[in-house]
Amino acid sequence: MSIADALSRLEGSSLGSLADLQPDEFIGLLDLADAVKKDRDAYRDRLKNTTHALIFEKHSTRTRVSFEVGLKEVGAGSLFLSSNDIQLGRGESIADTARVLSRYVQGIVIRTFGQDRFDTMVEYSSVPVINALTDKYHPCQILADFQTVREHRGDLKGKTLTWVGDGNNVAHSILYGCALAGMHARVAFPKGYDCDADVVRKAEEIAAATGGSVELLHDPVAGVGGADVVVTDVFTSMGQEDETQARLRDFAGFQVNEALMAKADTRAVFLHCLPAHRGEEVTEGVLEGPQSLVWDEAENRLHAQKALMLALHGAL
């Protein structure tokens, strides 16, 4: 099946979570991301004469820059809109914002809080909407992550990925990504920091059809044992700053350090979506070490998101 055939159903749609995709669409997006990265000139001007609104209610470095640069590279214009820039920050509803912006732009990218805000944007928008992060999901990050793993470790199917840390939005998206790719996902987290039960059930359902699996553990050493990929994130995400001290206590023993990485497969790679708190969830030695792919991973946000935008706009 060609990339265009695999992604044909996505034209005109939105992406809220990776569970919106079929396995062949997920792999098709990774294939397209590879093609976009290999020959950036081949995809220039594919979205010429379009404009995209970037609504960011949360701070960002990688997501904002990669979307703005990506849109420029495919010939599209972009409008960065923080809550301070538009009436959304003064009480205008998501629904009204979506309906107005749909009259002006050809696509919307939103980085926001509750998943319900994204869902409402999609409901009232007449143009494709991309989830650039919510409290529940971070699908664009995982597209870049899995592109990176494929570049360095080859075919994803059958490989084991271990998440060490909070059962947060990135962990949820990793569960879906692993399930779609036929990978074995392990999530090691302290008690009380579980993944959403509905997300786990959905990931298990997808994995049953692709040959993947889902395993939840409270022991990071057991979780990392023999893993092909080890992933972590900050212990305290945006909006949780008042929980910092409690989380540092609760996550003691869940730091990804050299001793923990030594339990993984000898060819294992390390990922972190960044920004990293060195000395907390990961040591300097691991983050800057030979197994770390975090800089390739950060670059691939650009290519994976360009692929996603091209697919949603049928510009292949």
Side-chain angles (χ1 to χ4, degrees):
M1 181 185 296
S2 69
I3 294 175
D5 288 341
L7 300 179
S8 60
R9 189 185 70 89
L10 298 184
E11 182 176 355
S13 65
S14 296
L15 184 75
S17 87
L18 294 180
D20 295 338
L21 302 173
Q22 297 299 315
D24 61 331
E25 293 167 342
F26 181 66
I27 299 302
L29 283 172
L30 298 181
D31 290 340
L32 180 57
D34 288 343
V36 167
K37 183 175 183 177
K38 183 178 180 180
D39 188 354
R40 291 164 79 159
D41 285 336
Y43 294 88
R44 292 192 186 275
D45 295 332
R46 293 292 180 95
L47 295 182
K48 188 177 181 180
N49 298 323
T50 67
T51 303
H52 298 249
L54 308 179
I55 302 174
F56 277 54
E57 296 187 294
K58 287 188 174 185
H59 295 299
S60 171
T61 298
R62 281 148 293 276
T63 303
R64 175 180 176 178
V65 175
S66 57
F67 266 111
E68 288 199 25
V69 173
L71 284 163
K72 182 177 181 180
E73 290 194 357
V74 294
S78 63
L79 298 169
F80 178 78
L81 305 171
S82 73
S83 296
N84 295 326
D85 298 319
I86 55 177
Q87 296 295 336
L88 189 62
R90 297 183 63 249
E92 184 168 26
S93 71
I94 287 277
D96 289 355
T97 301
R99 286 183 286 198
V100 169
L101 289 179
S102 295
R103 301 296 181 100
Y104 301 143
V105 301
Q106 288 69 52
I108 298 171
V109 176
I110 182 168
R111 182 177 176 94
T112 187
F113 294 90
Q115 184 67 20
D116 59 315
R117 293 179 69 77
F118 174 85
D119 293 340
T120 301
M121 181 69 72
V122 172
E123 181 181 355
Y124 288 93
S125 172
S126 59
V127 299
V129 184
I130 294 175
N131 179 356
L133 178 142
T134 63
D135 291 344
K136 191 169 184 178
Y137 299 120
H138 198 359
C140 293
Q141 179 65 54
I142 276 53
L143 287 169
D145 289 359
F146 282 38
Q147 180 185 11
T148 307
V149 174
R150 291 207 316 178
E151 288 176 337
H152 292 268
R153 291 299 310 272
D155 187 37
L156 298 173
K157 191 172 181 65
K159 287 188 169 58
T160 297
L161 182 152
T162 300
W163 170 268
V164 180
D166 193 7
N168 62 13
N169 51 0
V170 183
H172 291 159
S173 294
I174 276 180
L175 283 175
Y176 285 156
C178 285
L180 288 165
M183 295 176 69
H184 304 295
R186 300 177 188 160
V187 181
F189 55 91
K191 292 181 180 179
Y193 293 91
D194 312 49
C195 291
D196 183 282
D198 289 337
V199 171
V200 173
R201 281 193 292 270
K202 180 64 176 177
E204 290 173 335
E205 177 185 315
I206 299 169
T210 62
S213 65
V214 174
E215 184 178 5
L216 307 180
L217 311 95
H218 297 302
D219 180 358
V221 174
V224 169
D228 300 290
V229 186
V230 179
V231 192
T232 194
D233 191 9
V234 293
F235 293 152
T236 305
S237 298
M238 286 179 287
Q240 300 172 336
E241 287 78 9
D242 59 341
E243 304 173 16
T244 298
Q245 293 308 311
R247 283 174 170 267
L248 289 177
R249 290 192 301 270
D250 293 344
F251 282 87
F254 282 79
Q255 181 188 73
V256 179
N257 51 35
E258 290 84 343
L260 188 62
M261 283 298 297
K263 303 294 183 183
D265 183 84
T266 56
R267 296 186 301 145
V269 297
F270 172 75
L271 300 178
H272 189 308
C273 63
L274 303 177
H277 293 168
R278 299 162 190 250
E280 290 185 11
E281 76 278 359
V282 62
T283 60
E284 178 88 7
V286 170
L287 191 70
E288 298 289 356
Q291 293 170 289
S292 175
L293 301 180
V294 298
W295 314 117
D296 289 354
E297 177 187 8
E299 177 192 338
N300 284 340
R301 291 293 302 277
L302 172 65
H303 310 302
Q305 288 162 188
K306 284 169 66 177
L308 176 60
M309 291 186 288
L310 291 168
L312 297 185
H313 292 275
L316 306 188

